[in-house]
Amino acid sequence: MKKNVLRSLLGATLVAASLSTTATPVNPTAASAGSSTGSFDINLILEPHIIVTGFEDMTINAANTNATETDNICIGGFGFTNFNVSFGSLNGNADVNTPNGTDPFLLLDSSTSETIPYSVGFANSASASAANETSSDGSLSSNFARAATAASCLGGTENATLFVGVSASDWQDVQGKSFTDTLTVMVEAI
């Protein structure tokens, strides 16, 4: 299965890359005896391609303290050196590329309609112990350096970490017991 995905990716890579011959070719001006030589430049133009893989559903078991969970993912591609990350929340006000500081991320209990706010963080490392570059509304104010290829992400590499945190003070007065949200993560090559 992975070989087929890799072949498909390589096929798509070749389709995405366009060859152009915009150089000034050198052509002989007359026939010569035995051989002839000419030359031209070949330029390969790559359209940036980015991929994010490795997402897994997250379960946070709350106790009496603040709860934090992480998910290691992979961000890779070709044709770019940096990327940015933005988040969206199905129940909150954060929308991909337009985060909102008022309740950006919310967990919802569908039986009681109660909500619990949560925070989202990002680190451009799979071994990070804390989130960085995260603003108070969950948007990221910095760009990050690409460290992986698309093929390595499809092969299972993990090179970044998502952090989700829920403050104990936000759930200690609720009546519901099962809160959910769908978090959307968009990475964009720049």
Side-chain angles (χ1 to χ4, degrees):
M1 177 71 176
K2 286 185 180 182
K3 288 183 182 178
N4 289 337
V5 171
L6 186 55
R7 285 186 195 135
S8 297
L9 177 65
L10 292 175
T13 301
L14 292 176
V15 170
S18 64
L19 290 174
S20 68
T21 56
T22 58
T24 53
V26 176
N27 292 296
T29 57
S32 56
S35 68
S36 180
T37 302
S39 64
F40 64 95
D41 291 340
I42 299 173
N43 299 304
L44 175 64
I45 309 300
L46 292 177
E47 179 181 331
H49 277 66
I50 191 166
I51 188 170
V52 59
T53 61
F55 293 111
E56 296 177 8
D57 289 341
M58 183 181 292
T59 299
I60 301 172
N61 293 311
N64 293 323
T65 61
N66 298 337
T68 302
E69 284 294 329
T70 61
D71 185 20
N72 286 338
I73 60 173
C74 184
I75 300 171
F78 58 85
F80 66 97
T81 56
N82 294 304
F83 64 91
N84 62 35
V85 181
S86 59
F87 300 100
S89 168
L90 180 65
N91 299 317
N93 293 323
D95 191 8
V96 171
N97 272 339
T98 54
N100 184 322
T102 305
D103 297 325
F105 305 104
L106 291 174
L107 296 163
L108 170 70
D109 182 295
S110 59
S111 65
T112 64
S113 298
E114 293 174 298
T115 58
I116 297 174
Y118 67 96
S119 62
V120 176
F122 175 82
N124 198 23
S125 167
S127 61
S129 59
N132 55 32
E133 306 297 333
T134 305
S135 299
S136 61
D137 66 357
S139 66
L140 299 173
S141 59
S142 295
N143 298 322
F144 302 92
R146 178 183 62 89
T149 64
S152 63
C153 285
L154 290 171
T157 295
E158 295 177 333
N159 64 1
T161 307
L162 297 174
F163 293 80
V164 173
V166 185
S167 173
S169 62
D170 290 326
W171 77 65
Q172 291 180 344
D173 293 332
V174 298
Q175 295 176 5
K177 62 179 183 176
S178 181
F179 292 80
T180 62
D181 190 28
T182 299
L183 180 67
T184 300
V185 181
M186 185 175 89
V187 295
E188 185 175 13
I190 52 173

